[in-house]
Amino acid sequence: MRGYLPFTSWDKLPSCGVLGLVLLTFVVGKIGGRGGYISIPGSLSDDGLWWSRQLCLVLGVMTMARLWFVGAAALGVSLASAQAVISTQGCTSRSFTIPSWFVEDLTATEGGASFSLLNRATNQTAEYICQGGNCSAEEGIEDLVASVQISGTRASVSVNQTWSCSDRTPETKFTAAGTASVSLTDGKADSSPLLVKGSLLQPVALTPRYNEGPTGHDTPGCLAKSENPSWVLSHVIWADQDGDEITSVKEQRLTFILTNLANGYEASCMSQGPVATNIFCAGTEFQSFTIGRYSISTAVQFDPATYSVTVSQTWFCDDHNPAKPLQISATGTLPLPLSCTTEPIPSSPTHLKKFCTVPTTDSTVSLTGTLGTVVTLQPYSIEDPVPATQDSCTLSSIYSPKWQFSYFSTYNGSISFEIILQTNRGFRYPNPVYQGKSAGDGWWECEMGYDGGAQVPEGPLWPYKCQFRWDEGRKELSLRAEWECLELDAENPVRFSGVSTATVNSNIVCEKVEHREYTDEPLGEGEELTIPEPVGVVDYCYTENPSYAWVGDVKDVTWTSGKSL
């Protein structure tokens, strides 16, 4: 079937991120087949398109939750996980996500050093004394080798350890190794604890991905500048239209860019509605998968009568010491120095519209705030992986691999269905599989449909290669599949293979339909999409319940790690 995009004027669209653009379509646009369009309100300002670029993300975020609930319901997916939570914060899960150690109270001594070592996966702690670089625990710990090298005012700590976790079946043995360095003052480590990030050597070789953290958290001067918080408001636009609600809309709109001078964080802020008091602000955190557990939050209140803006924001700094990250809150208020013009509304001359901007040379306003609460967070927690509430792709594939199938159908004898790994899938949907070439003995090669997983760090949650076989008499679908999980280490994903057989326990109904043959060639300039004439009648069979989905356990699973495909 011919594929095409339902928009005719892409050159007129704002340059938004993929997420913001898609969600914006649902909020302020409409799609009408090939003649569809995206409409962006800009009647109150000549800068409509510029602001649609800046604020498409904001509009998209406002409907993200709504789309998730609608999409999940359409797919017949329960918002409660299809997979039970099983020790997601246990030894096994932590060993895959944070194989690492805390080195505390590192002190250089005559010819050696001493420190306390905590394995973050097992929560096992031991005290170490080092001589000549080699270290030994006061209480013997098997399968752990630690060493400290001191050169001038720096110390380098290396750890190699093997341990086992029995909170999952089967019990799993892990080996990890890592090295970290720290500066010394008067023989003591300047940062305590010192984080030694490890790379797994077994059961698979990978280096778990840490998060980038919120914008500017490690920017030099973040903490120092936060002691006197300040922001800059730029591109400020205030519009107030007193419509009659018949030929014109009564609407107030305030938009601006808010920049935190301590960390460089920018947020696009907007309000739109009959009365503009609560201003919604959003930054790049809504387009990023690697912010982590802490994201910058901004709340803005506006008084249309006095043009007074109150900004309350919470941000994070660890540029001074990542072992002691800080959560910082501040508030500031000022009246906006607006210059306004007022004119009648063309469609309703007895009603007025007011348009205001900041008349300064660079069109910006500076806002000085008052420091609020400052909270010390857990060491290194800003960039730590977010604690899982469900198994991710890798752990699901190792300990309880299952495929979820849906939308089974046959068209003129050719089989198709949709598939996704039953795991912590988030805002993800199944991928279609179509019948390809014969692989012999009743097996068929898979032809994968669109690959939405290519746009997220976790990668696809469906096979990159597979074969299937359909037993019509038993209503059994068998699958031989190969897939990979990238969420822990995109450069060295864990690659899996296994077989699955599942029964379609739903009535399959068939009907005769007209068959049309489409071309995959793109439309030429000015060419209209046409529906070809029928060339015959074929059988179309499908599950009676369109939202029916079923699960198949994966057997004979093998895994290895290597470079990403």
Side-chain angles (χ1 to χ4, degrees):
M1 182 176 293
R2 183 195 297 272
Y4 62 93
L5 293 172
F7 309 109
T8 57
S9 300
W10 285 99
D11 58 313
K12 297 179 182 179
L13 291 179
S15 175
C16 301
V18 174
L19 176 61
L21 179 58
V22 173
L23 295 178
L24 178 65
T25 302
F26 287 86
V27 183
V28 294
K30 72 175 185 178
I31 301 176
R34 180 162 174 77
Y37 63 91
I38 288 180
S39 172
I40 300 169
S43 59
L44 298 180
S45 165
D46 293 336
D47 296 322
L49 271 183
W50 184 91
W51 268 108
S52 63
R53 283 192 195 97
Q54 302 298 321
L55 301 176
C56 68
L57 173 60
V58 177
L59 294 168
V61 170
M62 294 169 68
T63 57
M64 181 180 292
R66 177 173 178 267
L67 288 177
W68 162 240
F69 280 92
V70 172
L75 287 171
V77 176
S78 171
L79 293 182
S81 169
Q83 182 175 0
V85 177
I86 306 175
S87 301
T88 52
Q89 288 304 295
C91 175
T92 301
S93 177
R94 293 196 302 268
S95 297
F96 275 107
T97 56
I98 53 169
S100 54
W101 303 265
F102 277 159
V103 177
E104 298 187 83
D105 302 323
L106 174 62
T107 303
T109 60
E110 187 69 29
S114 64
F115 59 89
S116 174
L117 185 69
L118 168 68
N119 184 315
R120 299 177 73 201
T122 64
N123 284 324
Q124 183 184 48
T125 303
E127 302 295 327
Y128 281 81
I129 297 177
C130 311
Q131 290 296 327
N134 297 318
C135 306
S136 59
E138 293 183 351
E139 296 181 3
I141 296 181
E142 297 181 356
D143 299 324
L144 190 152
V145 177
S147 64
V148 175
Q149 299 295 327
I150 297 176
S151 177
T153 59
R154 291 201 68 81
S156 176
V157 182
S158 297
V159 183
N160 185 303
Q161 186 176 9
T162 297
W163 66 93
S164 294
C165 295
S166 57
D167 59 320
R168 296 289 185 96
T169 302
E171 178 177 300
T172 306
K173 178 177 286 189
F174 296 88
T175 298
T179 300
S181 63
V182 64
S183 58
L184 302 173
T185 300
D186 297 330
K188 294 184 179 296
D190 290 339
S191 182
S192 183
L194 169 66
L195 174 61
V196 180
K197 297 180 181 179
S199 295
L200 278 179
L201 305 178
Q202 70 163 333
V204 291
L206 56 83
T207 301
R209 173 180 60 84
Y210 282 71
N211 290 303
E212 296 176 359
T215 300
H217 69 93
D218 56 355
T219 298
C222 179
L223 177 60
K225 294 178 181 178
S226 296
E227 294 179 359
N228 297 292
S230 59
W231 299 268
V232 168
L233 284 70
S234 58
H235 302 287
V236 180
I237 297 175
W238 165 244
D240 187 359
Q241 179 169 288
D242 182 25
D244 60 9
E245 298 293 357
I246 299 175
T247 60
S248 58
V249 177
K250 183 176 182 179
E251 180 183 37
Q252 293 181 339
R253 186 196 304 175
L254 176 67
T255 57
F256 58 89
I257 299 294
L258 179 69
T259 303
N260 185 315
L261 297 183
N263 56 16
Y265 171 79
E266 288 189 352
S268 297
C269 301
M270 71 169 295
S271 169
Q272 188 170 343
V275 180
T277 54
N278 295 314
I279 313 300
F280 182 83
C281 298
T284 56
E285 66 272 13
F286 290 105
Q287 285 181 301
S288 173
F289 295 92
T290 58
I291 290 294
R293 73 184 74 185
Y294 299 114
S295 60
I296 296 173
S297 60
T298 307
V300 177
Q301 297 291 319
F302 178 65
D303 184 351
T306 62
Y307 300 155
S308 178
V309 170
T310 298
V311 174
S312 299
Q313 192 172 70
T314 298
W315 65 95
F316 306 86
C317 295
D318 65 351
D319 59 307
H320 60 296
N321 187 350
K324 295 179 173 61
L326 298 177
Q327 173 182 292
I328 301 168
S329 298
T331 301
T333 300
L334 90 161
L336 294 175
L338 298 177
S339 175
C340 304
T341 59
T342 303
E343 60 184 37
I345 301 173
S347 61
S348 180
T350 60
H351 294 82
L352 303 176
K353 62 178 180 179
K354 180 186 293 183
F355 182 77
C356 309
T357 59
V358 174
T360 58
T361 303
D362 56 358
S363 300
T364 64
V365 181
S366 296
L367 169 59
T368 300
T370 301
L371 186 64
T373 59
V374 178
V375 179
T376 301
L377 306 176
Q378 293 295 316
Y380 303 94
S381 58
I382 284 185
E383 294 186 358
D384 260 354
V386 178
T389 57
Q390 294 177 275
D391 279 349
S392 63
C393 178
T394 300
L395 270 70
S396 295
S397 299
I398 291 176
Y399 295 101
S400 57
K402 303 175 188 294
W403 292 115
Q404 179 178 293
F405 302 93
S406 56
Y407 292 101
F408 176 86
S409 68
T410 65
Y411 181 85
N412 196 22
S414 181
I415 296 168
S416 67
F417 54 91
E418 293 193 356
I419 188 172
I420 192 168
L421 187 70
Q422 184 164 308
T423 184
N424 181 16
R425 51 191 280 192
F427 197 65
R428 306 287 296 279
Y429 295 96
N431 203 59
V433 177
Y434 304 104
Q435 182 174 312
K437 297 179 181 179
S438 172
D441 196 24
W443 290 86
W444 298 91
E445 298 287 347
C446 297
E447 285 190 3
M448 305 303 296
Y450 61 86
D451 187 1
Q455 303 300 321
V456 295
E458 288 78 4
L461 294 177
W462 38 83
Y464 61 80
K465 180 180 180 181
C466 67
Q467 298 176 346
F468 69 85
R469 182 170 62 187
W470 169 242
D471 187 326
E472 186 173 1
R474 297 185 177 184
K475 297 172 64 175
E476 286 184 349
L477 182 67
S478 298
L479 184 76
R480 299 190 296 221
E482 298 177 25
W483 70 101
E484 62 179 8
C485 297
L486 294 83
E487 85 280 5
L488 295 179
D489 184 353
E491 295 298 321
N492 296 282
V494 185
R495 202 158 292 136
F496 297 88
S497 66
V499 296
S500 176
T501 298
T503 302
V504 182
N505 289 318
S506 172
N507 290 332
I508 296 178
V509 296
C510 298
E511 59 180 288
K512 299 289 186 180
V513 296
E514 293 180 332
H515 177 64
R516 291 176 169 84
E517 294 184 353
Y518 292 83
T519 176
D520 289 328
E521 296 179 4
L523 290 172
E525 185 175 354
E527 182 183 0
E528 293 293 330
L529 178 69
T530 58
I531 300 177
E533 293 296 323
V535 294
V537 176
V538 298
D539 288 323
Y540 173 49
C541 303
Y542 49 91
T543 52
E544 188 174 25
N545 179 1
S547 63
Y548 171 72
W550 70 102
V551 173
D553 293 334
V554 185
K555 307 294 185 182
D556 302 327
V557 177
T558 62
W559 68 83
T560 185
S561 57
K563 292 296 182 182
S564 180
L565 296 176

